[in-house]
């Protein structure tokens, strides 16, 4: 079951959001995808059904659908006014191939689905796009290191720190709970750096720690991120003004 009320904090805790945004940032040119920040995707998701605010979602879906081989004979006919028909067609076929649940079994329109389900569809659609025959040739144009995403490091509580792109830093916490005598670990995501001050304060806090892990993570932030962060924030602000 999906919650009926979704807040921006809920959306910021969903790991699929930065994953989809990073995918689109990485492949924006070679796949001809919309250019946007993680915050833009969050705002589009939060609008949820307000047509004047969800242009990004429909544009993104259309761009991804046009690149899928299964729909190659219909590419020129896929537009924001009719993409739902092609989206359902793609998922009917791909869900059978991958043996996963089809979110469109009842032919429900994308706009009417729960918000988390919409995000799951976007996330799956990104990977369906990677199955096209021309992808290996296109990926040769990218550096191999840019295709691998790994945590920057771990703190003394075993929390993982993730950077995708842009100006945000995420932390993945693992909550351990014992249910029916079985140890279960649930991952909880949250944004821990929104502003320049957040980055600076986090690095200083980790540096002052007695934990080797924390100090090692602090070194990564000081050497690889803090010198670049002011420029990233300025570029982000300049881009928003141009838009």
């Amino acid at each position: 079951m999906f919650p009926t009320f979704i807040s921006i904090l809920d959306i910021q805790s969903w790991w699929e959001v930065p994953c989809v945004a990073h995918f689109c940032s990485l492949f924006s040119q070679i796949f001809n995808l919309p250019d946007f920040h993680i915050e833009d995707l969050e705002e589009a998701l939060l609008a949820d059904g307000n047509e004047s605010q969800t242009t990004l979602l429909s544009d993104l879906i259309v761009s991804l659908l046009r690149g899928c081989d299964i729909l190659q004979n219909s590419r020129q006919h896929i537009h924001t006014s009719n993409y739902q028909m092609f989206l359902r067609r793609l998922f009917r076929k791909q869900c059978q191939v991958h043996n996963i649940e089809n979110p469109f079994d009842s032919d429900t329109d994308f706009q009417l689905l729960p918000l988390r389900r919409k995000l799951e569809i976007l996330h799956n659609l990104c990977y369906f796009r990677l199955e096209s025959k021309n992808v290996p040739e296109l990926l040769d144009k990218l550096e191999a290191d840019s295709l691998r995403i790994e945590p920057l490091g771990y703190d003394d509580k075993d929390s993982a720190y993730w950077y995708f792109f842009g100006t945000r830093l995420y932390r993945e916490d693992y909550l351990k709970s014992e249910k029916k005598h079985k140890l279960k670990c649930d991952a909880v995501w949250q944004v821990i750096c929104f502003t320049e001050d957040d980055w600076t304060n986090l690095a200083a806090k980790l540096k002052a720690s007695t934990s080797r892990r924390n100090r090692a993570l602090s070194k990564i932030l000081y050497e690889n991120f803090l010198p670049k962060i002011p420029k990233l924030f300025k570029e982000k602000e300049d881009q928003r003004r141009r838009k």
Side-chain angles (χ1 to χ4, degrees), residues 5 70 113 127 164 204-205 231-232:
F5 175 77
I70 292 178
L113 291 171
Y127 285 95
F164 295 89
K205 179 181 178 181
K231 181 180 179 181
L232 290 176

Side-chain angles (χ1 to χ4, degrees), residues 15-188:
W15 61 270
E16 296 95 339
V17 172
C19 285
V20 169
H22 177 259
F23 177 96
C24 295
S25 173
L26 185 61
F27 299 116
S28 61
Q29 294 186 348
I30 63 174
F31 287 172
N32 193 27
L33 302 177
D35 182 24
F36 59 89
H37 291 285
I38 296 175
E39 296 90 334
D40 298 326
L41 180 57
E42 289 175 348
E43 291 171 4
L45 288 167
L46 192 62
D48 191 22
N50 185 336
E51 289 294 341
S52 65
Q53 298 296 325
T54 55
T55 305
L56 172 59
L57 297 185
S58 55
D59 287 346
L60 175 56
I61 292 173
V62 168
S63 298
L64 290 168
L65 288 174
R66 286 176 176 174
C68 294
D69 284 349
I70 292 178
L71 301 173
Q72 60 181 342
N73 295 328
S74 306
R75 287 173 179 170
Q76 301 305 317
H77 305 290
I78 304 175
H79 301 286
T80 55
S81 60
N82 65 1
Y83 73 87
Q84 301 206 48
M85 175 179 65
F86 297 99
L87 185 62
R88 288 195 293 268
R89 182 186 303 174
L90 175 71
F91 268 76
R92 276 197 300 270
K93 294 182 179 180
Q94 289 289 55
C95 288
Q96 288 181 350
V97 171
H98 294 279
N99 194 26
I100 59 177
E101 179 186 358
N102 182 4
F104 297 106
D105 265 348
S106 60
D107 283 338
T108 303
D109 284 349
F110 178 82
Q111 294 287 349
L112 300 179
L113 291 171
L115 189 54
R116 188 66 189 270
R117 181 58 56 84
K118 291 181 182 180
L119 182 57
E120 292 171 355
I121 289 171
L122 281 175
H123 186 254
N124 283 328
L125 184 55
C126 289
Y127 285 95
F128 294 161
R129 175 64 181 89
L130 286 176
E131 295 180 347
S132 296
K133 294 179 181 178
N134 67 340
V135 168
E137 178 184 350
L138 294 174
L139 293 186
D140 285 341
K141 301 176 183 179
L142 299 176
E143 295 183 5
D145 288 344
S146 67
L147 300 177
R148 290 192 294 268
I149 296 295
E150 297 178 349
L152 301 181
Y154 298 84
D155 63 18
D156 57 353
K157 296 180 180 179
D158 291 328
S159 294
Y161 290 71
W162 294 86
Y163 175 78
F164 295 89
F165 76 109
T167 58
R168 285 187 175 182
L169 183 65
Y170 286 79
R171 189 179 71 202
E172 183 182 13
D173 300 321
Y174 299 95
L175 305 179
K176 295 181 180 179
S177 61
E178 191 171 345
K179 295 182 178 180
K180 294 183 179 180
H181 308 292
K182 292 183 179 180
L183 191 62
K184 180 181 179 182
C185 294
D186 295 321
V188 178

